[in-house]
Amino acid sequence: MSVKTTNQHMIKEIPLIKRFPFPFQKDSYRYSNNARPLESGKLADITPEYFEEIDKKRQILLNHHERAFQSLEHSIDGQWEVLEFLIDELAFIYPEYFSVIKNGHEWTFENKLLDEKHTFTFGDLSTLPYEPLDFIGRHVQEDLIFMGQRDGDLYMDAGQLCFPANWSIAFDIGMTYTEFHSPVPVFFDSGLAKKVLNFLLRIEAGKPWTRLNWTLTVEPILDTFPENFDEWGSKKEKVTSENAGQLVHLRVEDQRLFRMPRRNGILFSIHTHLISLDELKKNEDWLKRFFRVLKDLPDYMAEYKGFSLYKGEIIRYLEKSLTN
Amino acid sequence: MMARTLEVIVEQITHETAAIKSFKLVSADRSPLPRFSGGSHITTYLQTETGFIERHYSLTSDPDNTGYYRIAVRRNEDSNGGSIYWHDHVKEGDKISISYPKNYFPLSFQAKRHLFFAAGIGITPFLSMAKELKKKKAPFEIHYAAPSKELCAFYRHLSTFFSEETHFYFSKENKKMSTKLMENQPIGTHVYFCGPEAMIKGFADAAKVIGYSEKSIHFELFTPPKSGPMQPFRVKLNKSNKVIEVPEGKSLLDTLLQLHIDAPYSCKIGGCGSCQLHVLKGEIDHRDFFLTEMEKKESNVILTCVSRAKSGSLVLDL
């Protein structure tokens, strides 16, 4: 099963270096609550990688469904709310790509990029091929996490996660915010996790937030699950200062947070972008800044982000690139 | 950043009682309004001759009704003008900006049973909560004190849709809504209060004595708590190195906003926690109902909308 790609021409081709969300505002990076108001107010970005990434997502969901989609029974109402939110947004912002016709509870959603049309009854699970979040997630490049807000805490209630930076929705499902962040060094112990939780609990509808997170990945691999570590983890050993430009990719997660007012939950979206260091070189200011950030980065962060093994090789590669 | 607003038209005004009017609001461009959760409210932004009036009103309509919202406003002669403006100036057909629905008074998920206690216009948040619980077939009771049947807003609505769950206490009939109603309730019962400050305080204190844990007690205020004189104090902003004098009778938040300092806020009555700022130095006089006793003791955050300096000055992480 693969998606139809004949409509690739409908998405405008813009070079990656011109549209990459570069994450560093200064020459040093530490954990902080770096969320800022999301001016555009929208969740979904459609990039030229749309067809390739949707195809990849659907393959993962077909072959390893439990790895990439998890939900608790009480999340179904929240999932319908997410589906409604996204369908309304897609049809409104991208009328050339999506449309919806609502006839009472009978909805027809059309994805014109993929030439797909679905008719279903809003609120009736038996009319959809998958759970609502699992259904709508197959039409956007973003990973989608729904957190329930209950009794002053946030719970991982449902999520479709195909492109994780080495974390597992199958492991985290049902946990509280504090529980699923406990592995993050310093962030968790310093009290910052609690501060951020307090911030999240008070996000209001109509006022979404965004932040960029980053790590490094060897080869352009989006699906870096802990569950398939054997497939991508060993690649780190291949990195040398000679090949780092092609192999090492800066991985940036454009994360967005929305209050879903019906169930009072939080929708967390992650759009993952990858760029090779050779490609990043096309913007020399970015490459210089990345070099300074890396030199300044404490070991515990390189360790947690999983590149301490080849950090020295990248720095040598960058030194060479910047003096040439 | 100012949050995005929704534009609505006042489609219908209904006299609920002599002092309470309800307003049916429909989307100006006829697009569906966002759904909301039980207990939610909206902020209304009224453009008057003397400036914007921001007021918060509970949504009393069905949470799944995307066709219209309804709010109820009691005319309050002592108010700063919000309710009087709604009563005397707002007409059918007027266009008004409102916030998206917000909820700082949500239903507890872990509660096995919900007991609501309302005095007067305090009934409003319980109307959407009751609709939500009824859909889920979850057990609840509404206890509602009002002067008389005639002065009881939503009397017919409650008698029609929630007759089994609702208990009325009319003072003209010498019926009193007693805190004893909270006694001998099954484990897992949560209690919710909405009404004047004295009523909320009386019920919350009684609930603690009966043995309800802090997590099982929920309440929503309509006005800022009255807690002593608003003495002047000085604030230093650590990041910008500015020194600000907060005058007598004015809140820290209003002082910051007047100086065009981008301070966060929402409810402005010490109930939601949105305006919380970190305090690096100084003793805080906590006057809010949001922070727990524990958090107040740890004492490194201040809710700028109601709390002040105990003495001297504060250094804020802003």
Side-chain angles (χ1 to χ4, degrees):
Chain A
M1 184 195 78
S2 56
V3 302
K4 221 180 138 189
T5 55
T6 45
N7 294 334
Q8 181 81 58
H9 63 276
M10 289 171 69
I11 300 173
K12 201 177 157 207
E13 195 61 55
I14 302 169
L16 184 58
I17 195 73
K18 300 273 184 214
R19 56 183 164 86
F20 194 79
F22 188 70
F24 306 112
Q25 303 300 316
K26 45 186 189 179
D27 294 340
S28 172
Y29 180 86
R30 295 292 183 275
Y31 291 120
S32 66
N33 182 13
N34 53 353
R36 53 194 167 75
L38 174 66
E39 298 298 342
S40 76
K42 65 173 182 166
L43 183 149
D45 278 331
I46 309 279
T47 71
E49 293 83 9
Y50 183 81
F51 295 91
E52 189 190 319
E53 292 181 6
I54 296 296
D55 190 47
K56 181 93 203 162
K57 256 192 169 186
R58 293 183 179 189
Q59 278 177 35
I60 293 166
L61 288 159
L62 180 70
N63 298 325
H64 306 283
H65 192 255
E66 74 299 337
R67 186 186 288 178
F69 182 78
Q70 291 283 329
S71 70
L72 299 177
E73 202 188 325
H74 57 248
S75 71
I76 297 295
D77 290 339
Q79 289 193 44
W80 280 112
E81 187 177 3
V82 171
L83 175 138
E84 180 179 39
F85 172 83
L86 262 168
I87 284 184
D88 286 348
E89 173 181 301
L90 291 171
F92 183 72
I93 299 177
Y94 303 109
E96 68 280 31
Y97 300 155
F98 303 94
S99 74
V100 63
I101 297 165
K102 297 182 185 177
N103 217 326
H105 291 300
E106 287 284 305
W107 294 18
T108 300
F109 171 62
E110 187 182 7
N111 182 330
K112 300 174 197 173
L113 290 167
L114 303 176
D115 286 332
E116 292 178 358
K117 209 182 236 188
H118 302 267
T119 300
F120 58 92
T121 309
F122 186 81
D124 182 352
L125 278 183
S126 69
T127 61
L128 276 183
Y130 317 102
E131 286 185 21
L133 183 71
D134 196 8
F135 172 81
I136 197 61
R138 293 169 196 244
H139 294 271
V140 293
Q141 290 163 267
E142 285 76 11
D143 282 317
L144 303 171
I145 308 293
F146 180 73
M147 293 184 283
Q149 182 160 328
R150 298 193 288 278
D151 299 295
D153 212 336
L154 287 170
Y155 295 80
M156 186 74 81
D157 274 358
Q160 191 195 63
L161 180 73
C162 293
F163 304 143
N166 198 15
W167 65 284
S168 166
I169 186 80
F171 184 73
D172 285 359
I173 189 80
M175 288 190 189
T176 64
Y177 176 87
T178 315
E179 285 164 351
F180 62 74
H181 278 96
S182 59
V184 189
V186 181
F187 174 75
F188 185 71
D189 306 326
S190 65
L192 185 57
K194 177 135 200 341
K195 261 193 222 175
V196 175
L197 172 62
N198 278 329
F199 161 76
L200 295 173
L201 291 171
R202 277 185 283 281
I203 286 181
E204 293 181 345
K207 197 175 175 184
W209 294 80
T210 182
R211 72 182 281 259
L212 298 175
N213 197 8
W214 69 280
T215 187
L216 300 177
T217 301
V218 181
E219 296 186 12
I221 301 174
L222 284 166
D223 50 328
T224 50
F225 290 91
E227 289 92 337
N228 67 344
F229 185 81
D230 58 309
E231 291 168 23
W232 56 270
S234 59
K235 294 184 191 290
K236 298 179 192 190
E237 290 161 25
K238 297 190 301 184
V239 177
T240 66
S241 62
E242 256 66 60
N243 65 20
Q246 303 107 57
L247 287 186
V248 177
H249 288 68
L250 176 59
R251 180 188 190 104
V252 174
E253 294 186 346
D254 183 338
Q255 306 179 342
R256 300 180 186 183
L257 294 151
F258 300 80
R259 169 72 62 192
M260 297 284 107
R262 177 63 187 99
R263 299 294 152 191
N264 206 28
I266 298 273
L267 173 61
F268 175 54
S269 68
I270 310 164
H271 192 135
T272 303
H273 301 263
L274 287 169
I275 190 168
S276 70
L277 297 187
D278 274 352
E279 192 67 22
L280 191 70
K281 223 196 265 184
K282 292 179 181 165
N283 185 327
E284 205 185 317
D285 291 341
W286 285 0
L287 201 70
K288 277 185 193 156
R289 173 152 284 174
F290 176 58
F291 175 63
R292 290 185 211 118
V293 166
L294 220 50
K295 285 194 74 163
D296 172 77
L297 202 73
D299 290 343
Y300 71 82
M301 278 191 164
E303 189 60 42
Y304 178 70
K305 288 181 182 289
F307 56 82
S308 53
L309 186 69
Y310 58 94
K311 186 179 152 190
E313 300 297 328
I314 311 170
I315 288 183
R316 268 188 293 284
Y317 159 83
L318 290 169
E319 273 166 351
K320 276 191 285 181
S321 305
L322 290 166
T323 46
N324 285 342
Chain B
M1 178 188 82
M2 170 100 170
R4 281 188 298 161
T5 55
L6 302 165
E7 303 306 311
V8 293
I9 306 278
V10 178
E11 193 181 75
Q12 190 186 46
I13 303 176
T14 311
H15 288 267
E16 299 290 341
T17 70
I20 297 172
K21 281 184 182 177
S22 74
F23 299 83
K24 183 179 174 185
L25 310 172
V26 297
S27 161
D29 62 6
R30 296 279 155 181
S31 60
L33 291 164
R35 298 166 202 262
F36 59 91
S37 51
S40 291
H41 69 269
I42 51 169
T43 304
T44 62
Y45 304 94
L46 295 174
Q47 175 73 67
T48 72
E49 282 149 26
T50 48
F52 265 109
I53 304 184
E54 265 179 52
R55 287 292 180 275
H56 312 294
Y57 298 104
S58 296
L59 290 164
T60 63
S61 39
D62 187 305
D64 279 314
N65 186 343
T66 58
Y68 66 87
Y69 287 159
R70 194 184 291 281
I71 59 171
V73 181
R74 189 173 85 97
R75 191 186 159 93
N76 181 357
E77 300 296 343
D78 306 330
S79 83
N80 296 326
S83 71
I84 291 174
Y85 194 90
W86 269 103
H87 271 256
D88 297 355
H89 297 280
V90 174
K91 301 179 302 296
E92 288 177 357
D94 282 1
K95 194 170 165 181
I96 284 165
S97 294
I98 63 172
S99 72
Y100 280 66
K102 318 176 202 186
N103 199 345
Y104 293 114
F105 195 33
L107 287 162
S108 165
F109 184 79
Q110 59 189 355
K112 301 275 183 279
R113 232 170 132 250
H114 309 262
L115 293 190
F116 302 136
F117 295 90
I121 191 70
I123 190 66
T124 54
F126 299 133
L127 297 172
S128 61
M129 287 178 167
K131 282 176 188 124
E132 175 143 12
L133 292 172
K134 194 102 179 176
K135 275 185 201 176
K136 285 194 202 156
K137 300 191 172 68
F140 67 96
E141 286 175 15
I142 300 172
H143 297 275
Y144 181 12
S148 66
K149 200 187 279 187
E150 294 68 41
L151 293 175
C152 177
F154 301 103
Y155 176 79
R156 270 194 35 205
H157 179 83
L158 289 163
S159 311
T160 310
F161 296 105
F162 307 105
S163 61
E164 274 176 38
E165 294 88 354
T166 311
H167 308 267
F168 295 99
Y169 305 87
F170 299 129
S171 49
K172 281 199 181 141
E173 296 173 12
N174 288 321
K175 291 228 178 94
K176 192 175 176 293
M177 185 170 76
S178 163
T179 56
K180 285 197 171 34
L181 291 160
M182 296 187 289
E183 290 175 3
N184 301 314
Q185 295 290 345
I187 303 258
T189 300
H190 281 229
V191 290
Y192 303 75
F193 319 122
C194 191
E197 193 189 340
M199 172 261 178
I200 288 177
K201 199 168 176 315
F203 271 80
D205 288 348
K208 275 183 215 156
V209 172
I210 293 166
Y212 287 89
S213 77
E214 218 170 304
K215 279 190 160 177
S216 312
I217 302 173
H218 313 269
F219 50 82
E220 179 156 70
L221 289 170
F222 280 162
T223 50
K226 295 181 193 73
S227 41
M230 293 167 76
Q231 77 285 6
F233 63 102
R234 178 175 292 177
V235 164
K236 195 180 147 197
L237 307 185
N238 196 49
K239 285 181 190 157
S240 58
N241 226 358
K242 269 187 202 151
V243 176
I244 290 166
E245 304 289 341
V246 181
E248 185 173 355
K250 195 163 183 167
S251 73
L252 169 54
L253 175 65
D254 283 338
T255 312
L256 292 170
L257 293 177
Q258 200 173 36
L259 294 166
H260 303 290
I261 293 164
D262 193 14
Y265 72 94
S266 183
C267 79
K268 285 191 167 179
I269 59 170
C272 77
S274 298
C275 64
Q276 181 172 307
L277 289 179
H278 281 263
V279 176
L280 302 170
K281 233 195 237 166
E283 255 194 290
I284 306 159
D285 178 5
H286 291 286
R287 297 180 174 198
D288 62 90
F289 278 109
F290 175 78
L291 299 171
T292 62
E293 290 309 315
M294 193 64 176
E295 287 167 323
K296 285 179 185 173
K297 260 178 224 151
E298 285 173 10
S299 197
N300 56 355
V301 288
I302 185 168
L303 297 198
T304 60
C305 67
V306 291
S307 297
R308 310 181 77 80
K310 212 164 235 172
S311 58
S313 62
L314 298 174
V315 181
L316 296 184
D317 190 17
L318 188 73

